[in-house]
Coordinates of all heavy atoms in Angstrom, one line a residue:
I29 N -71.6 48.6 -7.1 CA -71.8 48.0 -8.5 C -73.1 48.6 -9.0 O -74.1 48.7 -8.2 CB -71.8 46.5 -8.5 CG1 -71.9 45.9 -9.9 CG2 -72.9 46.0 -7.6 CD1 -71.7 44.4 -10.0
T35 N -75.0 40.0 -12.8 CA -75.3 38.8 -13.6 C -75.9 37.8 -12.8 O -75.9 37.8 -11.6 CB -73.9 38.3 -14.3 OG1 -73.2 37.8 -13.3 CG2 -73.2 39.4 -15.0
S36 N -76.5 36.8 -13.6 CA -77.2 35.7 -12.9 C -76.2 34.7 -12.1 O -76.6 34.0 -11.3 CB -78.0 34.8 -13.8 OG -77.1 34.3 -14.9
V40 N -77.0 37.5 -5.1 CA -77.6 38.8 -4.8 C -78.4 38.8 -3.5 O -79.4 37.9 -3.3 CB -78.5 39.4 -5.9 CG1 -79.1 40.7 -5.5 CG2 -77.7 39.4 -7.2
I41 N -78.1 39.6 -2.5 CA -78.7 39.6 -1.2 C -79.4 40.9 -0.9 O -78.9 42.0 -1.1 CB -77.7 39.4 -0.1 CG1 -77.0 38.0 -0.2 CG2 -78.4 39.5 1.3 CD1 -75.8 37.9 0.7
E50 N -90.6 41.0 0.6 CA -91.8 40.3 0.1 C -92.6 41.2 -0.8 O -93.3 40.9 -1.7 CB -92.6 39.8 1.2 CG -92.0 38.6 1.9 CD -92.6 38.1 3.2 OE1 -93.7 38.7 3.6 OE2 -92.0 37.3 3.8
G56 N -84.1 37.3 -8.5 CA -83.2 36.3 -8.1 C -82.5 36.6 -6.8 O -81.7 35.8 -6.3
A57 N -82.9 37.7 -6.1 CA -82.3 38.0 -4.8 C -82.8 37.1 -3.8 O -84.0 36.6 -3.8 CB -82.5 39.5 -4.5
P61 N -82.1 39.6 6.0 CA -82.1 41.0 6.7 C -80.8 41.2 7.4 O -80.2 40.3 7.9 CB -83.3 40.8 7.6 CG -84.1 39.8 7.0 CD -83.1 38.8 6.3
E66 N -75.0 38.1 9.7 CA -73.8 37.4 10.3 C -74.1 36.0 10.7 O -73.3 35.1 10.6 CB -73.4 38.3 11.5 CG -72.0 37.8 11.9 CD -71.3 38.9 12.7 OE1 -71.8 39.9 13.2 OE2 -70.0 38.7 12.9
D75 N -67.3 30.9 -2.9 CA -66.6 31.4 -4.1 C -67.5 32.3 -5.0 O -67.0 32.7 -6.1 CB -66.2 30.1 -5.0 CG -67.4 29.2 -5.4 OD1 -68.6 29.5 -4.8 OD2 -67.3 28.5 -6.3
E77 N -69.4 35.7 -6.2 CA -69.3 37.2 -6.1 C -70.6 37.6 -5.5 O -71.7 37.3 -6.1 CB -69.1 37.8 -7.6 CG -69.0 39.3 -7.5 CD -68.6 39.9 -8.9 OE1 -68.4 39.2 -9.8 OE2 -68.7 41.1 -8.9
C82 N -80.2 47.5 -0.7 CA -81.2 47.9 0.4 C -82.3 48.8 -0.3 O -82.6 48.6 -1.5 CB -80.6 48.4 1.6 SG -79.5 49.8 1.3
A90 N -76.9 48.3 2.8 CA -76.1 47.4 1.9 C -74.6 47.7 2.0 O -73.8 46.7 1.9 CB -76.6 47.8 0.4
V95 N -69.3 45.5 3.8 CA -68.1 45.7 4.6 C -68.0 44.4 5.5 O -67.0 43.8 5.6 CB -68.2 47.0 5.4 CG1 -67.1 46.9 6.5 CG2 -68.0 48.2 4.6
L96 N -69.1 44.0 6.1 CA -69.2 42.9 7.0 C -68.8 41.6 6.3 O -68.0 40.8 6.7 CB -70.5 42.7 7.7 CG -70.8 41.4 8.5 CD1 -70.1 41.5 9.8 CD2 -72.2 41.1 8.6
E99 N -65.1 41.6 5.4 CA -64.3 41.3 6.6 C -64.3 39.8 6.9 O -63.4 39.3 7.6 CB -64.8 42.0 7.8 CG -64.7 43.5 7.8 CD -65.4 44.2 8.9 OE1 -66.3 43.7 9.6 OE2 -65.1 45.4 9.2
R100 N -65.3 39.0 6.5 CA -65.4 37.6 6.6 C -64.8 36.8 5.5 O -65.1 35.6 5.4 CB -66.9 37.2 6.8 CG -67.6 37.8 8.0 CD -66.9 37.5 9.4 NE -67.6 38.0 10.4 CZ -67.6 39.3 11.0 NH1 -66.9 40.2 10.5 NH2 -68.3 39.6 12.0
E113 N -85.1 53.8 -6.2 CA -84.7 54.1 -7.5 C -85.4 53.3 -8.6 O -85.9 53.7 -9.6 CB -83.3 54.1 -7.8 CG -82.5 55.2 -7.1 CD -82.1 54.9 -5.6 OE1 -82.3 53.7 -5.2 OE2 -81.7 55.7 -4.8
W114 N -85.5 52.0 -8.3 CA -86.1 51.0 -9.2 C -87.6 51.2 -9.4 O -88.2 51.1 -10.5 CB -85.8 49.6 -8.9 CG -84.3 49.3 -8.7 CD1 -83.3 50.0 -9.4 CD2 -83.7 48.4 -7.9 NE1 -82.1 49.5 -9.0 CE2 -82.2 48.5 -8.1 CE3 -84.1 47.5 -6.9 CZ2 -81.3 47.8 -7.4 CZ3 -83.2 46.7 -6.3 CH2 -81.8 46.9 -6.6
R115 N -88.3 51.6 -8.3 CA -89.7 51.8 -8.4 C -90.0 53.0 -9.2 O -90.9 53.1 -10.0 CB -90.3 51.9 -6.9 CG -90.4 50.6 -6.3 CD -91.5 50.7 -5.1 NE -91.4 49.6 -4.2 CZ -91.9 48.4 -4.4 NH1 -92.5 48.2 -5.6 NH2 -91.8 47.5 -3.6
S117 N -87.8 54.5 -11.6 CA -87.3 54.4 -13.0 C -88.0 53.2 -13.7 O -88.0 53.3 -15.0 CB -85.8 54.2 -13.0 OG -85.6 52.8 -12.6
R118 N -88.5 52.3 -13.0 CA -89.1 51.0 -13.7 C -88.1 50.3 -14.5 O -88.4 49.6 -15.5 CB -90.4 51.4 -14.4 CG -91.5 52.0 -13.5 CD -92.7 52.2 -14.2 NE -93.6 52.8 -13.5 CZ -94.6 52.4 -12.7 NH1 -94.6 51.1 -12.6 NH2 -95.4 53.1 -12.0
V120 N -85.9 48.2 -13.4 CA -85.7 46.8 -12.9 C -87.1 46.3 -12.6 O -87.9 46.9 -12.0 CB -84.9 46.9 -11.5 CG1 -84.8 45.5 -11.0 CG2 -83.5 47.4 -11.9

Side-chain angles (χ1 to χ4, degrees):
I29 186 170
T35 68
S36 60
V40 180
I41 301 174
E50 292 169 7
E66 194 155 14
D75 60 346
E77 183 175 353
C82 55
V95 168
L96 171 76
E99 288 173 349
R100 301 302 187 275
E113 291 84 10
W114 303 330
R115 287 199 192 282
S117 72
R118 299 184 189 268
V120 175

